[in-house]
Amino acid sequence: MRLVFLGPPGAGKGTQAKLLSKEHGIPHLSTGDVLREAMAKGTPTGLRAKEFVDKGYLVPDEVVDALVRERLQGARDRFLLDGYPRNESQADELDRMLLQLKTELTSVIYIHVADETLVKRVGGRRSCPKCGAVYHLESKPPKRADACDACGNEGLVQRPDDRAEVVRERLTVYHKNTAPLVERYKAKDLLHWIDGDRPIDAVARDVSEAANRKPGGSGGRS
Ligand code: AP5
């Protein structure tokens, strides 16, 4: 299984990729998580990325391309890519990486959610700074208010780029740069269209089913 999760900010890519990764024991590679880790550690890559992430802009292609290239070497046959590619240039680069590894994508899971819902969703997201677990104040609250179910850490936080003004910028960037990839992968008959505006477990059932099936015909809604 070699999948790409595609969709706007807050669509549930990370939530669903983590569930599928657990179900099948497949490595989950989230460029957002890798960049946040680098920013938290203050590495040169993290310091460079921070200037872009905090404003809701895309980090330069050469930075993320290198992160993905390095990680794909080890995960050749099984991976879930979440948040990459994010524009045509990254999609071209991914094609080159896969060609060099003599492999190809099995499918692309596109999670669709309307912009109005996304703004609300992202505003309610809280995450654990210690283990990275992700919650939502309404749809996925932690069992104990403000404490992480997974590691017990007290003090869940809001991502700095989840502030309303940054979310608006991220949505603009998504529609301009990333949304065109839906057509690209549809044309290659790789796309599964998933309605992400339903409860997490209902979306997860469709994602799991789609991940195990070749996209059909024209690659439209499935
Ligand atoms: P990244 O972390 O990838 O952000 P994103 O793509 O904007 O996606 P999010 O993490 O916001 O949302 P998600 O779809 O994973 O949703 P989640 O499952 O968390 O990237 C951050 C930044 O890094 C970018 O802006 C950019 O600067 C940089 N970057 C990353 N990759 C890059 C690249 N390739 N090139 C250049 N720059 C890059 O869910 C959201 C919330 O909703 C959670 O609270 C969750 O609990 C809840 N939820 C999930 N599903 C449901 C549901 N079905 N119903 C109700 N609530 C739900």
Side-chain angles (χ1 to χ4, degrees):
M1 202 177 272
R2 294 169 297 282
L3 301 183
V4 163
F5 278 82
L6 195 62
K13 303 181 295 297
T15 300
Q16 296 299 332
K18 277 183 194 139
L19 290 171
L20 197 67
S21 162
K22 205 167 157 195
E23 184 184 338
H24 291 276
I26 298 179
H28 167 209
L29 170 51
S30 155
T31 42
D33 286 350
V34 174
L35 291 169
R36 277 185 288 280
E37 199 185 316
M39 290 190 290
K41 287 184 180 156
T43 65
T45 299
L47 292 174
R48 181 153 184 228
K50 191 168 164 44
E51 291 170 44
F52 299 89
V53 174
D54 283 355
K55 295 187 184 110
Y57 303 156
L58 292 184
V59 173
D61 291 342
E62 70 271 15
V63 176
V64 274
D65 289 344
L67 293 175
V68 173
R69 180 175 286 278
E70 187 190 320
R71 283 159 180 82
L72 277 194
Q73 310 281 354
R76 195 181 156 256
D77 273 331
R78 287 155 63 82
F79 57 80
L80 308 178
L81 273 176
D82 159 14
Y84 183 95
R86 249 173 153 105
N87 56 28
E88 295 284 355
S89 154
Q90 292 181 13
D92 290 343
E93 185 59 23
L94 177 61
D95 285 349
R96 282 190 286 274
M97 290 181 212
L98 295 174
L99 197 64
Q100 282 165 8
L101 291 168
K102 298 190 173 52
T103 191
E104 49 192 26
L105 292 177
T106 47
S107 47
V108 173
I109 306 283
Y110 167 56
I111 305 183
H112 177 271
V113 176
D115 283 9
E116 315 81 75
T117 312
L118 293 170
V119 175
K120 207 171 146 205
R121 262 206 203 166
V122 173
R125 170 166 45 197
R126 296 293 180 273
S127 28
C128 174
K130 204 167 157 205
C131 74
V134 175
Y135 302 91
H136 191 277
L137 295 178
E138 287 166 17
S139 63
K140 196 187 168 200
K143 291 193 185 82
R144 248 179 342 119
D146 211 31
C148 179
D149 295 348
C151 74
N153 177 53
E154 302 215 353
L156 301 178
V157 296
Q158 183 170 32
R159 270 172 41 181
D161 62 338
D162 279 351
R163 293 190 319 271
E165 66 278 17
V166 186
V167 173
R168 278 192 292 275
E169 184 59 40
R170 286 163 61 200
L171 276 170
T172 305
V173 167
Y174 170 79
H175 287 295
K176 182 165 174 244
N177 298 277
T178 315
L181 297 183
V182 171
E183 288 306 317
R184 176 183 178 121
Y185 289 121
K186 205 190 264 186
K188 291 185 172 204
D189 262 350
L190 281 172
L191 197 89
H192 287 289
W193 192 102
I194 305 279
D195 176 5
D197 198 359
R198 293 171 299 148
I200 292 173
D201 54 351
V203 179
R205 274 194 295 277
D206 281 4
V207 168
S208 177
E209 187 270 332
N212 285 297
R213 176 169 58 82
K214 234 177 118 39
S218 63
R221 296 183 177 204
S222 66

